[in-house]
Amino acid sequence: PVAVGLPSNRVIFLAGPDSHGPSEHEHRAGSGLLALALRERRPGFETVNVYGGWPEDESIFNDADAVVMYCDGGRGHLVNKHLESFKRLLDQGVGIVALHYCVEVPEDSPSAAAMLQATGGYFETWWSVNPHWTADFRELPAHSITDGISPFSLHDEWYFNMRFAGDGVTPILSAVPPMETMERRNGPHSGNDAAREMVARGEPQVTAWAFERNNGGRGFGYTGGHFHANWQNDNARELVLNAIEWV
């Protein structure tokens, strides 16, 4: 619903099928929660929720200002078979938000190039890692996305060592992963020598970022969101809502 007399911003939420069982990867419930919270804080915003993947009727994207994607990634990512349509959205300057597993697309693929163009970063297998850990976000940069957000700690499946584009990327959430994040053997998601060396050196790792595209469009990547209950964390939820507004 759109409040009469207020400017309208149209946000499309694309939720992939739920996975991992109850309380984890609840894409439908998470998208619904965020859409409702967005409308409550911005009555002039219109939200449209699509469940199950990419919409069959792409006219739903007409006049869209932003698309929020919350879905499983990798070879099953919803953009893989819809790259032409996805790129049209980018060419139109539509903002893109990618949440959790949605930031992963196949390595060095057309989808990877599209995600770099859309959000400035992606999870690259055999380079990025996906441990569960408590990230302590002690300092936040001055940015519209961090307005009203306090430093916070949260246990989640925070990905890090992402593959980023060169220019236009601004780290939003960064924390130092503990050594326990590297307890697993090397694998496509679990670890690699480069990540191990950075963790051993105590280097802060980016877990959420903002991106400004050359055509004026914007993107945001957020690697948290594995646990549905984490949307109860006011700082995490409001930061993502800020990001949706910003893109």
Side-chain angles (χ1 to χ4, degrees):
V2 180
V4 176
L6 293 175
S8 176
N9 294 84
R10 195 160 190 263
V11 182
I12 313 300
F13 286 81
L14 301 184
D18 293 346
S19 62
H20 287 56
S23 80
E24 302 177 1
H25 287 216
E26 291 202 12
H27 304 129
R28 177 172 182 144
S31 295
L33 180 154
L34 291 171
L36 176 60
L38 183 64
R39 294 196 307 273
E40 288 178 341
R41 66 188 274 183
R42 298 295 184 197
F45 278 39
E46 176 190 5
T47 61
V48 180
N49 287 68
V50 178
Y51 301 123
W54 197 264
E56 294 183 7
D57 181 2
E58 294 190 353
S59 68
I60 201 169
F61 293 122
N62 292 349
D63 300 320
D65 295 288
V67 174
V68 181
M69 301 187 297
Y70 197 13
C71 64
D72 283 355
R75 294 183 179 180
H77 199 292
L78 57 81
V79 304
N80 291 342
K81 297 181 179 180
H82 303 280
L83 285 175
E84 290 188 9
S85 299
F86 187 58
K87 290 178 181 178
R88 279 198 297 271
L89 295 174
L90 303 184
D91 291 341
Q92 294 166 7
V94 175
I96 302 294
V97 172
L99 302 177
H100 196 49
Y101 194 5
C102 180
V103 302
E104 182 188 327
V105 284
E107 176 186 0
D108 293 330
S109 67
S111 295
M115 286 297 286
L116 282 174
Q117 181 185 353
T119 67
Y122 78 100
F123 184 107
E124 181 180 293
T125 52
W126 297 100
W127 175 254
S128 308
V129 292
N130 68 346
H132 289 224
W133 55 295
T134 300
D136 188 7
F137 303 116
R138 299 181 179 182
E139 298 182 4
L140 302 175
H143 194 282
S144 298
I145 294 175
T146 60
D147 283 351
I149 308 301
S150 301
F152 66 101
S153 296
L154 189 62
H155 182 78
D156 208 323
E157 187 181 33
W158 298 107
Y159 308 158
F160 62 87
N161 199 28
M162 311 300 290
R163 183 66 73 185
F164 288 116
D167 299 325
V169 176
T170 300
I172 297 296
L173 292 180
S174 299
V176 177
M179 287 301 299
E180 303 88 83
T181 59
M182 293 289 100
E183 289 180 345
R184 298 176 296 173
R185 297 179 180 179
N186 284 357
H189 298 85
S190 56
N192 57 74
D193 292 342
R196 293 181 190 285
E197 291 175 5
M198 284 186 283
V199 171
R201 291 194 296 264
E203 295 183 9
Q205 296 294 318
V206 177
T207 62
W209 63 93
F211 181 61
E212 299 196 52
R213 306 198 291 266
N214 290 333
N215 69 350
R218 293 172 171 178
F220 176 72
Y222 179 82
T223 68
H226 179 86
F227 299 111
H228 184 68
N230 280 353
W231 296 122
Q232 297 179 38
N233 183 289
D234 292 342
N235 286 302
R237 184 188 65 257
E238 296 301 310
L239 182 136
V240 170
L241 293 173
N242 284 351
I244 296 170
E245 292 187 28
W246 180 78
V247 303

